[in-house]
């Protein structure tokens, strides 16, 4: 999969500066996210960093500090996807959902990988490395930050509809995804498995991911599902059908 033109809009529930019923341009949302005093027309969408991890994975715990630092990086949105395929080691990940591992597996062909692994970082759906290799991850992140193409406008029309504007569509078409994540640090006490006895702090834990529909470069409206819990941020991504994100 690749993120070809992802635009993001962050919303918290209940009210936050970006949670409102009026229309909001994605460029303005990106400005608020990045806190940069530049004109909206010059704003670029942030780089999306997907982290595939598991509370029961020893290597994931070791890479956790680097992953948490990325959550505060300007120009970057880090999303922590907890996977469940290491649950058999003795600890069932408290944040894992089957669709998160499915999303990771969907990247295998695009990233020329034989099987999923943790801790993995996927940058804009096009670059990947182990989160344990901080130097390599930093180099890939710098590359992505230097090459952020503009994304289509995204507007929320009330709480239950989002509009995606026009733009160049990827070959094979695009997809619109909604991601909701918890911006608050979450601490988990691991009582079994490889990380038994450790307390892990996780940032930007994904709680919901929903495919809203196809996008073919024309203005399109999509229904927005209700958030599963309060206090979550909302991210809307326009992504190539092969899952690469060009942002």
């Amino acid at each position: 999969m690749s993120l070809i033109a992802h635009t993001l809009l962050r919303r918290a529930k209940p009210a936050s500066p970006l949670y409102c019923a009026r229309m909001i341009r994605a460029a303005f949302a990106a400005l608020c996210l990045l806190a940069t005093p530049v004109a909206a027309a010059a704003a670029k969408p942030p780089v999306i960093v997907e982290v595939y991890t598991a509370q029961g994975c020893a290597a994931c715990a070791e890479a956790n500090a680097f992953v948490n630092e990325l959550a505060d990086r300007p120009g970057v949105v880090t999303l922590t996807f907890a996977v469940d395929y290491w649950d058999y080691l003795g600890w069932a990940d408290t944040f894992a959902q089957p669709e998160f591992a499915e999303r990771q597996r969907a990247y295998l062909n695009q990233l020329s990988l034989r099987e999923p692994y943790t801790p993995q970082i996927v940058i804009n759906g096009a670059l990947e490395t182990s989160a344990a290799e901080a130097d390599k991850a930093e180099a890939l992140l710098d590359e992505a930050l230097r090459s952020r193409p503009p994304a289509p406008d995204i507007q929320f029309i009330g709480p239950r509809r989002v509009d995606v504007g026009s733009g160049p569509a990827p070959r094979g078409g695009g997809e619109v995804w909604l991601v909701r994540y918890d911006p608050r640090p979450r601490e988990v006490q691991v009582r079994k498995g490889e990380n038994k006895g450790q307390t892990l702090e996780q940032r930007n834990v994904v709680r919901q991911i929903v495919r809203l529909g196809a996008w073919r470069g024309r203005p399109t409206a999509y229904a927005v599902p209700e958030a599963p819990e309060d206090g979550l941020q909302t991210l809307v991504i326009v992504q190539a059908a092969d899952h690469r994100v060009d942002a």
Side-chain angles (χ1 to χ4, degrees), residues 134-157:
D135 290 345
K136 183 176 179 181
E138 291 281 13
L140 294 177
L141 187 56
D142 287 345
E143 178 183 339
L145 284 166
R146 287 193 300 267
S147 57
R148 288 182 286 172
D153 287 344
I154 290 181
Q155 301 173 344
F156 273 100
I157 311 299

Side-chain angles (χ1 to χ4, degrees), residues 161-186:
R161 170 182 156 186
V162 64
D163 289 359
V164 177
S166 60
R171 182 176 299 177
E175 298 177 334
V176 177
W177 291 82
L178 179 140
V179 179
R180 287 193 169 106
Y181 63 96
D182 192 340
R184 300 161 293 190
R186 303 290 294 268

Side-chain angles (χ1 to χ4, degrees), residues 1-244:
M1 292 195 292
S2 73
L3 302 184
I4 103 152
H6 84 270
T7 300
L8 91 86
L9 211 153
R10 292 177 21 149
R11 275 194 325 188
K13 181 183 178 184
S16 78
L18 295 182
Y19 184 74
C20 54
R22 64 183 176 81
M23 296 192 297
I24 307 175
R25 288 178 61 85
F28 176 70
L31 272 179
C32 295
L33 173 68
L34 301 177
T36 52
V38 297
K44 292 183 178 180
V47 170
I48 300 298
V49 176
E50 299 178 42
V51 180
Y52 292 92
T53 185
Q55 296 161 1
C57 156
C60 297
E62 295 170 2
N64 213 40
F66 173 65
V67 170
N68 288 344
E69 188 273 329
L70 287 180
D72 296 322
R73 191 73 60 88
V76 175
V77 174
T78 302
L79 301 172
T80 298
F81 287 92
V83 298
D84 56 7
Y85 49 77
W86 296 125
D87 287 1
Y88 77 92
L89 295 176
W91 177 256
D93 194 294
T94 58
F95 298 129
Q97 297 182 31
E99 51 265 43
F100 300 163
E102 291 174 9
R103 180 173 176 85
Q104 186 186 23
R105 283 192 290 269
Y107 279 120
L108 292 180
N109 184 59
Q110 167 69 25
L111 298 173
S112 300
L113 297 173
R114 295 183 61 184
E115 58 187 9
Y117 71 92
T118 57
Q120 183 189 30
I121 287 178
V122 178
I123 300 174
N124 277 355
L127 306 168
E128 76 86 28
T129 189
S130 169
E133 299 182 51
D135 290 345
K136 183 176 179 181
E138 291 281 13
L140 294 177
L141 187 56
D142 287 345
E143 178 183 339
L145 284 166
R146 287 193 300 267
S147 57
R148 288 182 286 172
D153 287 344
I154 290 181
Q155 301 173 344
F156 273 100
I157 311 299
R160 301 301 297 273
R161 170 182 156 186
V162 64
D163 289 359
V164 177
S166 60
R171 182 176 299 177
E175 298 177 334
V176 177
W177 291 82
L178 179 140
V179 179
R180 287 193 169 106
Y181 63 96
D182 192 340
R184 300 161 293 190
R186 303 290 294 268
E187 288 192 349
V188 178
Q189 295 182 345
V190 181
R191 297 184 176 86
K192 296 180 181 179
E194 293 183 345
N195 294 323
K196 180 180 179 180
Q198 295 191 49
T199 298
L200 306 178
E201 181 183 287
Q202 296 184 278
R203 302 282 302 279
N204 292 2
V205 175
V206 176
R207 305 299 291 149
Q208 181 185 44
I209 183 167
V210 179
R211 183 184 181 277
L212 300 183
W215 182 75
R216 294 178 175 83
R218 298 185 297 274
T220 308
Y222 303 89
V224 174
E226 186 175 354
E229 56 190 89
D230 290 341
L232 302 182
Q233 296 280 359
T234 298
L235 178 74
V236 171
I237 298 173
V238 178
Q239 182 165 24
D242 67 0
H243 256 56
R244 184 185 56 222

